[in-house]
Amino acid sequence: MVTYIEENMAGSIAGFNVLPIRLNRKSQSGHVLYYKEHNIRGDSASLPPDRTIFVLNVPPYCNKDCFVRLFSDCGRVDSVYLQEKPTSELLPKSTTKYFSHENISQGFKVAYVVFKSPSAVEKAMNRKHSEPYILISDDQPALEAGYKKWCTEYKSERPNLKDLQKEIDEFMQTYDQKVSEDIQKAKEEEGTPDDEGWITVTRKGSKKQKPVARKEHIEKQLKAKEKKKREDKELVNFYTFQVRETKREHIAELRRKFEEDKHRIAQLRAARKFKPY
């Protein structure tokens, strides 16, 4: 039974070839993949334009083995990359098992199929798909779908603690060795003049300098800066009670200054030598 989608989506749409697929022969619903030549500016080491096709609308149950079976009649498939979104250059392969930077979406995604020869891309673009391709048949391994797929992925995400600890220890050992080599290299380069006579001075390996004692005027300046920062962050006179408190503080400050002025005038009068009265 061919669905309405499969009957009306064969051919090409907006430069994309349409490849109808079905999960198995008993499946009543179909799906379509859209693919075209991967055209980018410049050369890409991982995705050569003359040997790569770009595939859209890839369902979650479609893995790399599916694409090998889908396009093996066009030519030998060198590699298949599944990505969350289109890209011009793939990320380098991760050397770690548990801290991989590859982010493969669990939903729909895109794929890049790299062939061994450029002629395979031309065959794939000229191929006509009259019937949907069956992903699962008697002579092909079954694909995990539904709850079985999610259970397998859940188990694979739970690492072995011994292997994880071993990988962490190896990473830290490599990192510590690199840091020590950098420090040793900086020490060797320090004090050695270059071709122009300049000497490189680094802070690595140097003794820590004793902190300089703060003077009184420096302490006042720092406190004034900190107070200004706090005042800038605070909402001044935003609420009614803040306005009242500001007025009250202003009046108290005026009274304090008035009393200081009275006391200063009294001292000046007491210190006068000429007293006419």
Side-chain angles (χ1 to χ4, degrees), residues 264-277:
R264 189 181 299 108
I265 292 172
Q267 289 179 344
L268 292 174
R269 284 179 177 175
R272 282 191 311 183
K273 294 183 179 180
F274 176 70
K275 297 181 180 179
Y277 54 89

Side-chain angles (χ1 to χ4, degrees), residues 227-241:
K227 183 179 179 182
K228 188 175 185 305
K229 286 182 180 179
R230 290 196 300 269
E231 290 177 353
D232 293 340
K233 292 181 181 180
E234 294 177 356
L235 294 175
V236 181
N237 295 338
F238 183 78
Y239 299 101
T240 306
F241 75 91

Side-chain angles (χ1 to χ4, degrees), residues 12 15 19 27 33 43 83 103 106 112 116 124 136 156 160 181 199-200 210 212 227 236 240 251 257 264 273:
S12 62
L19 174 59
S27 179
L33 301 176
D43 297 331
Q83 297 285 123
N103 186 15
Q106 301 299 327
Y112 295 92
K116 196 70 176 177
I136 301 176
S156 64
N160 184 287
E181 290 176 355
I199 298 177
T200 303
K210 295 182 179 180
V212 181
K227 183 179 179 182
V236 181
T240 306
I251 294 173
K257 289 183 178 181
R264 189 181 299 108
K273 294 183 179 180

Side-chain angles (χ1 to χ4, degrees), residues 14-154:
F16 284 87
N17 281 21
V18 179
L19 174 59
I21 61 173
R22 289 165 67 183
L23 186 61
N24 51 41
R25 298 187 183 279
K26 297 180 180 180
S27 179
Q28 300 296 322
S29 60
H31 188 76
V32 288
L33 301 176
Y34 307 95
Y35 68 92
K36 69 174 184 178
E37 295 183 42
H38 179 56
N39 296 323
I40 59 172
R41 295 180 180 178
D43 297 331
S44 174
S46 54
L47 301 175
D50 58 337
R51 295 190 291 113
T52 308
I53 61 173
F54 172 56
V55 188
L56 283 174
N57 201 33
V58 179
Y61 55 81
C62 199
N63 55 21
K64 295 182 179 181
D65 295 334
C66 291
F67 287 101
V68 174
R69 296 198 295 266
L70 284 171
F71 295 100
S72 59
D73 57 340
C74 300
R76 182 180 173 183
V77 177
D78 191 10
S79 55
V80 178
Y81 302 97
L82 298 175
Q83 297 285 123
E84 185 177 0
K85 57 185 179 180
T87 179
S88 60
E89 187 71 25
L90 298 176
L91 293 173
K93 291 184 179 180
S94 178
T95 57
T96 173
K97 180 179 179 182
Y98 299 108
F99 302 98
S100 175
H101 50 62
E102 296 179 0
N103 186 15
I104 300 178
S105 174
Q106 301 299 327
F108 282 79
K109 44 191 169 286
V110 300
Y112 295 92
V113 182
V114 183
F115 292 97
K116 196 70 176 177
S117 62
S119 60
V121 177
E122 185 178 354
K123 291 181 180 179
M125 297 305 300
N126 295 329
R127 187 172 62 172
K128 303 297 180 183
H129 311 285
S130 57
E131 295 183 359
Y133 186 88
I134 305 300
L135 295 180
I136 301 176
S137 60
D138 298 335
D139 58 342
Q140 294 171 346
L143 296 174
E144 288 187 345
Y147 77 94
K148 291 184 179 179
K149 179 177 182 294
W150 308 129
C151 290
T152 303
E153 291 178 353
Y154 178 83

